[in-house]
Amino acid sequence: MKRVITFGTFDVFHVGHVNLLQRAAACGDQLIVGVSTDALNFSKKNRYPIYNQNDRMRIINGLRYVNFCFEEESLELKREYILRYNADVLVMGDDWAGKFDEFKDICDVIYLPRTPSVSTTQLIEVISSSEGNG
Ligand code: CTP
C-alpha cells in the first residue's frame, strides 16, 4: 500500500486543483491531503481565504481521488505530517520545485507540472474586477 500526501489551500476550488489531486492519487494507492488552516493563510498572506477551512475540507473530502484530509496548521510541520500519516510519497505542484527535497530521506518527492492559466489569485482578481459591471 503506497500512501501519497500533498498540501495546499485549495481556496475557490478550480480545475488546476482537481488535475493536481487526480495525478497525485495516481502516484500511489491512497491520497492524503493537508488543507492549510485559515490562520495559517492569514499569517502567510495577511488575508483569509474566500472559503473557510471547514468548507475547503468538505470540498476536498468529497473528491473520489481523496481518501483522507486533515488541517495543516503550520508550514514547519511537513516532516511531522509525513511521518504521522506514514506517507511514502510527497507530491507538490512545480511552483514548489526543489523546495521539499529535504524530505527525500523519508519519502519520495515528486513535483507535478501546474495546470496553465488558472489560479485562485487570478480567479479572485477576475471576480472582483467584474463586480458592479453587470
Ligand atoms: N495547482 C496546480 N495548477 C494550478 C494551480 C494550483 O497544479 N493551476 C496546484 C499547486 O501547485 C498546489 C495545489 O494545486 O500543489 C494547491 O494550490 P493552491 O496554492 O491552493 O492553489 P493556487 O490556485 O495556486 O492558489 P494561489 O493563486 O492563491 O497561489
Side-chain angles (χ1 to χ4, degrees):
M1 171 72 70
K2 201 173 184 184
R3 291 158 73 96
V4 181
I5 195 166
T6 192
F7 298 88
T9 302
F10 303 102
D11 190 25
V12 189
F13 194 78
H14 59 66
V15 73
H17 294 148
V18 89
N19 288 340
L20 187 283
L21 293 170
Q22 183 178 17
R23 287 174 296 155
C27 292
D29 305 301
Q30 277 199 344
L31 179 60
I32 301 155
V33 183
V35 176
S36 59
T37 59
D38 295 339
L40 172 52
N41 278 276
F42 190 81
S43 73
K44 232 172 38 177
K45 299 185 182 170
N46 220 34
R47 69 161 180 80
Y48 284 106
I50 305 289
Y51 299 164
N52 69 43
Q53 67 196 51
N54 291 337
D55 289 353
R56 289 182 287 111
M57 295 263 294
R58 275 178 57 73
I59 291 167
I60 299 299
N61 250 327
L63 299 170
R64 75 164 72 102
Y65 316 112
V66 175
N67 295 91
F68 176 75
C69 73
F70 67 93
E71 290 172 6
E72 181 190 19
E73 301 199 49
S74 162
L75 296 178
E76 313 308 318
L77 291 175
K78 290 225 165 42
R79 180 173 292 273
E80 282 74 4
Y81 292 130
I82 292 167
L83 293 171
R84 184 184 307 168
Y85 295 109
N86 280 318
D88 303 291
V89 188
L90 168 63
V91 169
M92 297 294 295
D94 64 2
D95 40 330
W96 297 99
K99 300 250 167 60
F100 297 106
D101 289 356
E102 65 189 279
F103 303 126
K104 285 185 175 170
D105 59 333
I106 51 169
C107 63
D108 292 338
V109 180
I110 298 176
Y111 303 100
L112 296 175
R114 279 173 70 91
T115 301
S117 313
V118 60
S119 77
T120 298
T121 305
Q122 174 235 337
L123 285 168
I124 293 172
E125 278 166 16
V126 169
I127 294 163
S128 330
S129 67
S130 66
E131 264 170 26
N133 289 347

